[in-house]
Each structure stands twice: as C-alpha cells, then as structure tokens.
Amino acid sequence: MIELGHIAITIAIFAAFMQAILPLLARINRHNNRSLRHFSPLLSILQAGLFIFGFIMLAISFARSDFSVYLIYQHSHTLKPMLYKITALWANHEGSLLLWLTVMAIFGACLALFGAKKDETLRFYALSVQGGSIFLFGIFMILTSNPFARIVPMPPQGEGLNPLLQDPGLAFHPPTLYMGYVGLSTVFALAIGGLLNNKIDAYWAHTTRIFALLAWLFLSAGIALGSFWAYYELGWGGFWFWDPVENASLMPWLLATALFHSLSVVQKSASLKHWTVFLSMMSFGLSLIGTFLVRSGILTSVHSFANDPERGLFILIIVAIMLTAGFLLYGLRGDAMKEEKKFNPLSREGLLIFNNVFLLTMAATVFIGTFYPLAVELVNGGRISVGTPFYNITFMPLMVIILLIIGFVPAIGWRMAARKIISKHMRIVIIPVIILLVAILTLADLWQLPAIIVLILGLWVIVSAGLDIAKHRHHLNIWAMNIGHIGLGLIAIGAVVASTASHEKNVIAKFGETFTFQQYQLTAQKIDSKTEYGYQTQKALILVTDGNKNFEMTPEKRFYLARKQETTEASIKSFWGHDLYLSLGTIDTDSVVIRAYYKRWVRLIWVGASLLVIAALLSLIRLTTTNRYSAKSA
Amino acid sequence: MRFYGCILLLTLLAIITDSPNIKAQTMIDDSEFFEFSEELRAREHKISQKLRCPICQGQSIAESDALIAKRLRLMVLEELQKGKNEQEIIAEVKKRYGDYVSFKPPFNSGTLLLWLGPFLILGLILYLARHKFSWEQQE
Amino acid sequence: MPLTSFIFGKYRLIIFIPLIVVIALMLAFSVGLFRTERGLPSALIGQKIPQFTARTLEGDSINDEDLLGDEVMIINFFASWCVPCLAEHPILKTLQTKHNLTIHGIAWRDNASATGQWLDKYGRVFDKVIIDEQQDIGLDFGVYGIPETFIVDKYGIIRYRWTGVLTEQLLNDEILPLISEYQ
C-alpha cells in the first residue's frame, strides 16, 4: 500500500515536469495553445491530489509502524505515542522534504483555483514556474532522499525513540513554518510569471499580495510557535537566540513583510515595481537558502537535519538554478518596467519606501551576522561567534526606527506631504502615551533604559494605531493594518522587557525549608522518583504561595533509558504580568538546586504574535472579497 | 534542543563511567557554585551569558550543563573573587579559548566588514532609493 | 531577445547586479560546503606554553619550565575515566617507542591514585605525569575536552593542538610531518 503512495508521488513529479514545459509546448504548438493553457491548472490539482495521497499513505504507515519502510524503521518505535508516530514523519530530512513538496503542490493548486483568475496568461506562466520548482525538489527527493525506500528483511522494531522529538510544540511548528516558507514559492512564481507576461500591474500586485500575505501569516505563526516552544522546553526562559536556523526563518519573514507593504504601492501608484519584483524573488530565495542551511550542515546548529555535503550540493544547485533563472529574467525584462514617479518623503509611499529600505537592511544585517563566521573560517581558518551583542548594536536601532515610523502612519495618506498633519498627530497621540507611560512606570518596577525606550516607542505605535481604529472603525483594512502594528508593538515591548527586566535566583533548597523569590515563598517538599513508559523521572514537588494564592509546581529531570539521555522539564506558571519559571539543578538526598526565573511581560509576545496573524487574516478577507483591484482600493 | 546537545555530551561521559566516584569527576556539582556569595554569583551569571560554550551548539556557558561550561563559570567566579572586572575576565577566557568563545565578535581588521556592513548597506540602499524622493508638494 | 542587442549594450549593467550577487553567493556556499570540521583552533598556537605549578603523580612539585627540553615534545591531556584516551594509547606508544618522542601526560580532572592505577594497568607512555585535579592547567591550555594533544617545539612554543582521539592516519598525515619540521 505504501507503494501506491510511492507511485503517486512519482506521477506527481512527472506531472510537475509536464507543467513546467507547457509554455514551451504552447509556443511550439500554437494551434493547441488554448487547450494546453487550460491543461495547466488541472495539472496543479492533480499534483496536489497525488502528493496528499502519498503523504497520507506514509502517515498511515507510520501509524501502523510499518518497519519495512526504512524511514519508519529509523525514526519510529512501537512504544511511541500515536501523535509522535505521525509527527515523526516530518521530523527528519526525507519526510520533511515530502511535507515541503506536498505543501508546495497544495499552494500550486490554490494558485490554479483562486489566483490570477482575470489574467490567464499570468496564471499559466506562474503555474509552470511552480511546477518547475516542484519538479526540481521532487527529483532531489526521489533520487537522494526517498522517504518511501524499503528495507528488506523487515526489522521487528524501530530505532526512533528519541525523547527530544516527542513534544507537542514539535508537532505543529514545522508544518506551520513550512506553509510559510513554501507559500513564498507562489510569490516567486508570480514574479517570474509577471515578467514573462511583461505585465507588472495593479492586478498582478493584487494577486501577489494575497499569496504574500498568506505565506506571511503562516511564517509569522511558525516562527512564533518555534519561539514559544523554545521558551517552554529549553529550561531557562529564552525565546530567541540568533541561532542560524532561527535567522534562516527571520530573513524571509522580514522580506515578506517588506513585500506585502511594497505591493500596495505597486497597486495604488504603479510604482516600486523593481523593488517589489526583487522582494518577491529574494524572499523565496532566502527561504531556499534557509532550506539549504538546515539540510547541508554548512553551519552548526541544533536544528540541522543532515550533515551531508553531497545532499547539500544538490540542494545548492537547485537553489542556484531557480535564483539565477529568476534574476536573469529580471535582468532581461526588467527594463520594460519604466518608473518615473517621485514621492514626497512624508507621503505614505515615501514611508513605504523607507520601510523597504530598513527591512532590507535588517535582513542584510541578519544575513551578514549569520554567514560571517563561515566567511572568516574559509579565509583564514579562524573561528568567531556572532551572537546577541552584535545584533543588539546593529539590528535593534533599525527596529527602533521602524517603530518610530509606524506611529506616524495613520496620519499620513497617499500622495501627500504631511508636515502640518504630523505635528497635529503627534500632539494628539503624545498625551495618552505619556499618561500610560507614567502609569506603567509607577506601577511596575521598570527602570532599565532599553525597556523604557522600547516601551515609549511601543506605546507610541499602539496608541496611534488604536486612535486610528477608533476613528475609522468601519473600514476592515484600517483594522487589519493597525492590529498588525499593535501586534508588533506588543512583541517589541514584551521581548525587551522580558530580556532586560526579568529576575532570577539560584538556590540550594533544602526539603521543608522556605525561600523567597520576588513576591513568592517557595518550599521544596520532596523528590518523587518514578519509572514511566521509557523513562525515569525525578519530580520535585514545590509549594508556592504569595499570600493570596497557593499552588504547586513540579519541575522534573527525566532520564530516558533507551538512549541514556537526561532532559530537564521546567515548570511554568503564567500570569499576565509575569511567568514564574522553575527548573532543577543537581539533586541531593536532602536538597535540590532550584533555578527560579521571574520572566516579565512574556505573554505580550505571544499576544502580539497572535495579533499579527489576525491582522493578516483580516487583510486577506478584505482582499479576497473586493472586486476592485485598481488603484482606488486597498 | 540545544541544551540537550550538551546534556548528551555530558551523559556520554556518564555512560562510560558508572561508579559514583567517577561521576563526581566527570560532572561538576551545582553545590560548588554556592561556595561563592549570592552577589558574586549574580555577577557571574551576567558575564557567563556573554561567553559561548566551546562544545555546545550555540549555548552560553550559563545555559549549559557541560563540564567545560561549568568549569568556565567557576573560573569566572574565581576571577571575580580576585577582583577582576567583566572586561578583564572575558579577555582572560578569550586568551585561552579564542574569539569563538565570546558572543560579541571582536572588532579588528578582519571583522570590519561585519561591524560596518549593516551601516554601509543601509547607506547603499538609501542611495539607491534617493531618486524616488522629491520634496515637491503632491496633491 | 537577440543576443546582438545584449552585446551592444541595450541592457544597463545595473539591472544584472542582483544576478551577479546571487551567483557569487552560490559559489561561496559551494566552497563552504566542502570544508572539513576541524574543531576549535587553539588560541595558544605560536605562544609559549602557559606557566603553571603543580604536582606530579609521584607527588613532586613541577612547573612548566621542567617540561621543556631541547627537542620537540608532546603534551597529552587524558584521564583514567576517559574511554577514548584508552583508544589512542597505542598511538602514543608508537610515538614514544618508534619515534623516540617525549610525551608528557596531564591527568585532567583526575586524582593521583586513579591515574596511577590506570597507568599501571595499561602501561605508562609518559615521561612525566602531572595531576590537574581542578582542571586549572587545562583551563590555561584552553582544553575543552579530552583527549587533547599538543605539539610543542624545542623552544617551548605550542605549534599544534588536536582535540579527540589520535589516529594512525592523523599521525602520518599531520603529526609526524609537523614534528620533523620542528626538529
């Protein structure tokens, strides 16, 4: 039965190849041009159906622990809980490739069914590019990393009982992130399609914006989920580490953000076409480079799936083909996009140009920081590390500037020069900001300078956006834009406060003795040792009280027998203003070392991220329910 | 995840050796840290967050339970007790383990492009965008 | 688009800059892909061995000066609880007997009795054995795991460091050539 899935995938890859060369066939065979064009969407739907079928077949085999499939033998085990049997499908190189392809095919089908309905030629070209991408990744998978490969004779038991991969966060983080990464493939396809079609116009911008927002939605959610998981799992309350693979997801996100902003300028003012086409290609380009990073082992990171230079080279060749083709086409056709309009720096177009400038610089900064150690190593063998201190100096100032600009946006309209309006806007917004600032600073114990600066900027953004919503509450796009900006403001405030104004304490807690931490009294009672399914656990029982509420917390250390690995499970109690976070150190007969963290305002980060997703959703609803796509809308 | 890479290393040592004596040698007990004052430990924590564990996948020595990570933390404590300040201590660790061990890359001729790059790129992109702007009033 | 127009400069160069950057990037990545991971280079290469005072296995006082001779020598960090150290023992023996090299051993995070027992059991390849129970010497040398092996020239300058098990191949490819170079 698994072979059915295998066959389905192979057919799908062949279909993708057909789809990719259709434009060529259509040119040679002008007589059948029309029917060939109508064939293309059908091929997309076929690919999606076949990939989904193959994926489901593999999933079922995982669920049944069919160890005749080599991948299942390597990464699963009969003792694994069912949820993790299935998520094991994509927690490895081959399976995640299949996930990548399946999502790409689904997006292709979406493009076929819902995209560019009013410009069939654009859709035709875009679909063939999508098919080409699927074909390239497809042959890579089939030739080097086939998830359907069998093993004979069938082993009785699997080897995959890695406890570190058995986690709910791990179940949802990759698929969501992939939908983001892969969603950008449609944007890439549309950019190339638009160039081939010689038409980068308002309709192109409208269609591309829908897919850009969709991809951005998933990318934002995926990154947030990853950060959330790291916070809950790793045991010391960190949520962003500037790790190469984290950066690999941040770079496309930054460019995708610039992209959907830039697209509105193309739509409204028929301008910034070069920037936008560049962003369309480069955002997917960075997505591809991210894939390359993770699978080739070129940079050390805990996320690395494979350390396989040959595979890495194959991927690099695919990436090189796609990007060189894209930018070559841009070089050849780009000059046809003539733009002479100039904009006042204080107009909305002007601000959006600045937005592009800063987001591009931020992405470039992350890129430099991520790859510089590699460059140094290649040049003279030296080894350096580029971590948070670097990004604090180079990335954060740009973030500050962006927040500053965002606060002005509601006051500034299209094609205007807003000097007088700006001062009026500032006067209106500053007062609530100052009131809130004073209130917060008196009530909260917040005196760290970075936290205060970002708090002021965040409030500036939030109040400005809030007032705009209040003023124009009948317009869905106003809601969308401002909710998104509020989300960003909350994330910024939450992240900086959590990083700079949190507290911690390490204690040797003797059983029965109470120690104080912030407003809490904590008493470690005892250690419960138990043997569970596949692991031994030492769970500390800690009574916590702050005078009003009492609760228990149970951080633990686990020792997984099969792999002889020890892990720490932190215990977290979340409140609105802070998280109380306990994790265990060395365990003794009469005491245990407790690491206590008081992480402040962390919840703002997750709330802010949710707002980003909501904003994208609102915007998508607005874009897909409007029939006008000319300069007057959006 | 990265934390676990270190635990793995640590436990690999633990697998090899079974007796409690050897366990004591291959792991550093947290209690050793408590021989120093709370104030000193708080200062050590701030410094340790800036130092990278040489064998882990990007963690700081503050976050890792690996042997060398903990030993380096004890070194930081010892130096703090001797009265050294943060800059001196980080320099001491870098002297032995190289620039890799500091999360803040050095600023020298080899890293000029790294530190100046972002600003140069900002300038470059602004320059490329300059012709899109005009101060003339729009309607 | 006819090739002739291209050659005759119908297209401005600037519009191909993204393409050129992308190609350069891909080439750089392909070079980076095939480099071998060699572990952290030692920060002490080219410097004299760090000063220290310690006790030998026999209990005598010893310092860094005492280790220097007028020949190339090897310093090996090991411990009785370290299994890979056992694995490289034959290689050290080869270096000692066949190539007549002086090897000093530093017991990293180990005590005298355990070290002594281990050496009695498996044979002593070391000229002098130093006990570094608190890893102080290890810290000064920038040791981050064992086994680690340093090659020191006749002036006491560290020329080479290898972290991990010594292998036959490493011996022939790198260590022996280096030693003859510094003799």
Side-chain angles (χ1 to χ4, degrees):
Chain A
M1 188 186 59
I2 186 94
E3 292 302 331
L4 280 179
H6 195 177
I7 293 169
I9 304 288
T10 318
I11 298 176
I13 295 173
F14 183 66
F17 176 70
M18 292 307 313
Q19 193 178 40
I21 60 170
L22 267 183
L24 235 56
L25 292 179
R27 193 167 265 221
I28 296 172
N29 201 341
R30 281 173 208 270
H31 188 61
N32 287 327
N33 205 322
R34 285 248 100 178
S35 45
L36 282 173
R37 281 166 184 253
H38 287 145
F39 194 36
S40 194
L42 292 174
L43 282 176
S44 288
I45 298 172
L46 177 68
Q47 285 167 57
L50 289 171
F51 268 108
I52 292 175
F53 177 73
F55 189 86
I56 291 179
M57 288 295 111
L58 192 57
I60 292 178
S61 300
F62 261 96
R64 281 142 126 247
S65 290
D66 178 357
F67 295 123
S68 72
V69 179
Y70 189 52
L71 192 71
I72 302 180
Y73 161 67
Q74 274 181 312
H75 299 282
S76 195
H77 197 279
T78 47
L79 284 182
K80 236 179 183 173
M82 180 53 72
L83 174 66
Y84 300 128
K85 277 185 185 157
I86 300 184
T87 63
L89 191 158
W90 56 73
N92 59 76
H93 167 71
E94 294 84 350
S96 66
L97 253 188
L98 182 60
L99 177 65
W100 175 282
L101 279 164
T102 309
V103 175
M104 208 184 263
I106 294 176
F107 267 102
C110 287
L111 192 55
L113 290 171
F114 310 115
K117 283 196 277 230
K118 295 202 171 91
D119 190 340
E120 279 201 9
T121 318
L122 171 64
R123 186 178 64 178
F124 179 55
Y125 286 132
L127 287 180
S128 74
V129 173
Q130 188 79 351
S133 309
I134 293 176
F135 171 67
L136 285 174
F137 276 98
I139 49 166
F140 170 64
M141 185 182 80
I142 287 282
L143 291 180
T144 73
S145 329
N146 196 338
F148 296 97
R150 310 299 285 274
I151 177 170
V152 176
M154 171 170 133
Q157 181 57 279
E159 295 196 329
L161 205 51
N162 189 347
L164 313 176
L165 297 176
Q166 290 176 31
D167 182 280
L170 236 37
F172 297 110
H173 163 63
T176 318
L177 201 58
Y178 272 39
M179 292 202 272
Y181 276 142
V182 174
L184 291 174
S185 68
T186 48
V187 163
F188 178 77
L190 281 164
I192 296 194
L195 285 173
L196 286 171
N197 199 15
N198 275 314
K199 240 198 281 177
I200 303 284
D201 59 1
Y203 185 70
W204 175 87
H206 171 82
T207 264
T208 307
R209 190 151 192 242
I210 292 176
F211 283 92
L213 270 166
L214 193 57
W216 183 86
L217 189 159
F218 287 118
L219 205 49
S220 306
I223 294 175
L225 277 172
S227 193
F228 185 76
W229 176 83
Y231 177 74
Y232 271 79
E233 261 309 300
L234 296 185
W236 57 83
F239 47 83
W240 189 262
F241 308 94
W242 297 108
D243 173 84
V245 174
E246 283 175 320
N247 293 351
S249 65
L250 183 62
M251 289 185 276
W253 184 87
L254 289 166
L255 290 194
T257 309
L259 176 62
F260 74 75
H261 282 91
S262 199
L263 280 164
S264 62
V265 181
V266 178
Q267 210 175 325
K268 277 212 126 35
S269 313
S271 229
L272 289 193
K273 292 180 184 178
H274 289 270
W275 288 79
T276 308
V277 167
F278 174 81
L279 283 169
S280 308
M281 297 207 208
M282 211 55 216
S283 56
F284 185 52
L286 283 173
S287 183
L288 289 172
I289 290 174
T291 298
F292 165 69
L293 245 186
V294 177
R295 294 170 196 277
S296 66
I298 195 171
L299 291 174
T300 30
S301 165
V302 68
H303 282 80
S304 300
F305 277 132
N307 215 319
D308 201 329
E310 270 91 34
R311 266 183 190 166
L313 190 61
F314 203 136
I315 300 177
L316 189 60
I317 292 175
I318 294 178
V319 175
I321 292 175
M322 293 174 77
L323 289 182
T324 28
F327 284 109
L328 180 63
L329 184 62
Y330 169 68
L332 295 170
R333 295 275 176 106
D335 273 325
M337 299 188 288
K338 294 253 177 269
E339 290 171 20
E340 269 124 20
K341 283 191 196 159
K342 291 182 187 282
F343 301 100
N344 190 300
L346 294 181
S347 61
R348 188 162 283 200
E349 293 95 332
L351 289 191
L352 285 172
I353 297 175
F354 280 119
N355 183 285
N356 273 0
V357 169
F358 291 116
L359 284 171
L360 269 169
T361 308
M362 285 159 96
T365 304
V366 176
F367 189 88
I368 293 175
T370 307
F371 288 104
Y372 206 82
L374 176 63
V376 168
E377 202 182 325
L378 289 179
V379 165
N380 62 20
R383 302 262 255 150
I384 61 168
S385 298
V386 178
T388 309
F390 170 77
Y391 295 103
N392 281 347
I393 295 176
T394 54
F395 187 88
M396 293 306 166
L398 294 168
M399 193 69 222
V400 161
I401 297 177
I402 291 229
L403 286 175
L404 201 55
I405 294 180
I406 293 180
F408 286 106
V409 165
I412 296 176
W414 298 94
R415 298 182 162 274
M416 65 178 343
R419 283 183 231 239
K420 286 198 200 123
I421 297 188
I422 286 180
S423 43
K424 179 178 169 206
H425 176 77
M426 279 180 77
R427 273 178 275 133
I428 296 179
V429 175
I430 287 270
I431 298 169
V433 169
I434 293 182
I435 295 175
L436 283 170
L437 183 68
V438 168
I440 292 175
L441 287 180
T442 33
L443 292 173
D445 164 38
L446 206 64
W447 45 268
Q448 291 81 359
L449 189 62
I452 295 180
I453 293 178
V454 178
L455 178 62
I456 294 174
L457 287 167
L459 284 174
W460 161 243
V461 165
I462 294 172
V463 170
S464 178
L467 287 175
D468 197 37
I469 291 180
K471 196 167 157 196
H472 297 113
R473 52 186 175 275
H474 299 295
H475 292 104
L476 191 57
N477 50 326
I478 298 281
W479 279 89
M481 174 182 90
N482 288 308
I483 286 181
H485 291 158
I486 291 175
L488 188 67
L490 288 175
I491 291 177
I493 297 174
V496 177
V497 170
S499 315
T500 56
S502 292
H503 304 280
E504 63 182 87
K505 187 173 187 170
N506 284 5
V507 188
I508 300 185
K510 284 206 171 9
F511 296 133
E513 279 180 20
T514 306
F515 66 94
T516 311
F517 178 55
Q518 300 301 320
Q519 67 260 44
Y520 295 105
Q521 273 79 42
L522 300 99
T523 318
Q525 297 284 62
K526 59 179 169 135
I527 299 273
D528 268 326
S529 294
K530 248 203 300 189
T531 307
E532 296 270 2
Y533 221 20
Y535 62 89
Q536 283 172 340
T537 164
Q538 289 178 294
K539 210 181 266 203
L541 180 63
I542 302 177
L543 300 178
V544 187
T545 174
D546 72 342
N548 293 324
K549 34 185 191 291
N550 305 307
F551 49 89
E552 281 175 10
M553 291 178 76
T554 55
E556 57 181 285
K557 272 195 193 266
R558 290 188 189 172
F559 188 70
Y560 285 84
L561 302 160
R563 293 208 168 192
K564 294 201 166 76
Q565 277 168 321
E566 187 184 73
T567 68
T568 286
E569 306 290 316
S571 182
I572 308 179
K573 200 96 172 109
S574 290
F575 303 96
W576 275 101
H578 67 276
D579 284 3
L580 180 61
Y581 200 108
L582 301 180
S583 116
L584 296 182
T586 318
I587 298 175
D588 231 328
T589 42
D590 65 338
S591 66
V592 60
V593 172
I594 295 182
R595 301 167 186 166
Y597 302 86
Y598 189 82
K599 306 294 293 187
R600 304 182 63 190
W601 296 22
V602 176
R603 223 174 233 194
L604 287 184
I605 304 175
W606 320 128
V607 170
S610 315
L611 288 184
L612 290 184
V613 171
I614 293 174
L617 215 51
L618 290 177
S619 207
L620 280 167
I621 293 173
R622 176 80 173 83
L623 285 172
T624 49
T625 53
T626 184
N627 276 321
R628 302 169 300 151
Y629 51 84
S630 62
K632 294 231 162 74
S633 75
Chain B
M1 262 296 206
R2 316 142 76 238
F3 174 66
Y4 300 144
C6 266
I7 289 289
L8 180 65
L9 232 73
L10 178 65
T11 336
L12 264 170
L13 298 176
I15 298 168
I16 294 161
T17 63
D18 262 25
S19 83
N21 269 338
I22 300 176
K23 228 182 171 86
Q25 284 169 302
T26 60
M27 299 203 294
I28 293 182
D29 197 279
D30 283 339
S31 58
E32 282 192 48
F33 292 92
F34 289 93
E35 288 164 25
F36 297 85
S37 74
E38 189 168 341
E39 190 230 327
L40 230 50
R41 278 186 282 126
R43 289 173 64 199
E44 173 263 314
H45 187 79
K46 288 190 67 192
I47 299 177
S48 295
Q49 282 174 323
K50 303 187 181 172
L51 291 168
R52 183 178 188 171
C53 162
I55 56 172
C56 311
Q57 299 267 30
Q59 288 170 284
S60 70
I61 60 177
E63 297 157 353
S64 168
D65 274 345
L67 182 58
I68 187 65
K70 283 185 159 177
R71 183 63 186 90
L72 280 168
R73 286 174 59 201
L74 285 172
M75 174 181 166
V76 172
L77 279 166
E78 286 159 11
E79 297 296 298
L80 277 172
Q81 197 150 60
K82 284 189 215 161
K84 301 256 176 76
N85 65 34
E86 177 176 312
Q87 242 183 326
E88 293 169 323
I89 295 177
I90 294 184
E92 281 296 310
V93 178
K94 278 171 92 164
K95 193 168 111 182
R96 295 160 167 77
Y97 288 88
D99 288 328
Y100 181 81
V101 91
S102 166
F103 277 116
K104 186 174 184 178
F107 187 70
N108 54 42
S109 56
T111 59
L112 263 183
L113 269 180
L114 171 68
W115 285 103
L116 297 181
F119 302 100
L120 291 174
I121 291 193
L122 179 61
L124 175 68
I125 301 182
L126 272 172
Y127 179 74
L128 287 174
R130 80 201 181 292
H131 66 95
K132 285 249 169 278
F133 291 112
S134 161
W135 277 108
E136 279 158 26
Q137 293 284 344
Q138 309 260 317
E139 63 274 17
Chain C
M1 13 282 58
L3 197 56
T4 45
S5 304
F6 186 83
I7 295 172
F8 281 98
K10 181 182 170 186
Y11 301 91
R12 343 169 258 159
L13 186 61
I14 191 172
I15 207 164
F16 284 102
I17 288 182
L19 177 65
I20 295 171
V21 170
V22 162
I23 292 179
L25 203 58
M26 299 291 116
L27 289 172
F29 282 147
S30 52
V31 171
L33 202 48
F34 288 100
R35 81 200 189 292
T36 40
E37 277 279 342
R38 294 194 52 100
L40 268 183
S42 169
L44 299 175
I45 301 225
Q47 294 175 33
K48 199 140 185 266
I49 58 173
Q51 292 183 320
F52 64 87
T53 329
R55 294 215 166 266
T56 66
L57 177 63
E58 294 76 20
D60 304 319
S61 183
I62 187 171
N63 62 34
D64 50 294
E65 297 282 319
D66 299 328
L67 290 182
L68 301 179
D70 28 59
E71 285 177 341
V72 173
M73 62 128 166
I74 294 180
I75 297 180
N76 178 264
F77 282 82
F78 71 104
S80 59
W81 46 262
C82 160
V83 169
C85 302
L86 199 53
E88 71 173 10
H89 205 79
I91 309 274
L92 290 175
K93 210 151 184 76
T94 311
L95 281 169
Q96 186 201 30
T97 51
K98 189 165 156 205
H99 302 278
N100 275 325
L101 286 163
T102 313
I103 312 179
H104 298 300
I106 302 188
W108 194 72
R109 203 170 173 79
D110 209 355
N111 56 50
S113 68
T115 309
Q117 282 173 8
W118 192 83
L119 290 173
D120 288 338
K121 185 167 174 190
Y122 296 109
R124 175 167 165 156
V125 293
F126 304 118
D127 187 35
K128 300 195 174 69
V129 177
I130 301 174
I131 305 295
D132 184 21
E133 198 160 353
Q134 296 303 316
Q135 292 167 267
D136 292 323
I137 307 178
L139 276 184
D140 286 338
F141 270 81
V143 172
Y144 57 87
I146 49 173
E148 255 186 48
T149 308
F150 291 82
I151 297 179
V152 181
D153 73 10
K154 49 190 169 185
Y155 305 108
I157 310 277
I158 296 176
R159 293 294 175 185
Y160 177 85
R161 186 262 297 263
W162 177 259
T163 309
V165 181
L166 296 170
T167 61
E168 189 82 45
Q169 186 175 24
L170 192 69
L171 201 66
N172 296 326
D173 291 347
E174 294 187 21
I175 296 185
L176 291 174
L178 217 64
I179 289 178
S180 42
E181 188 188 325
Y182 283 110
Q183 285 291 23

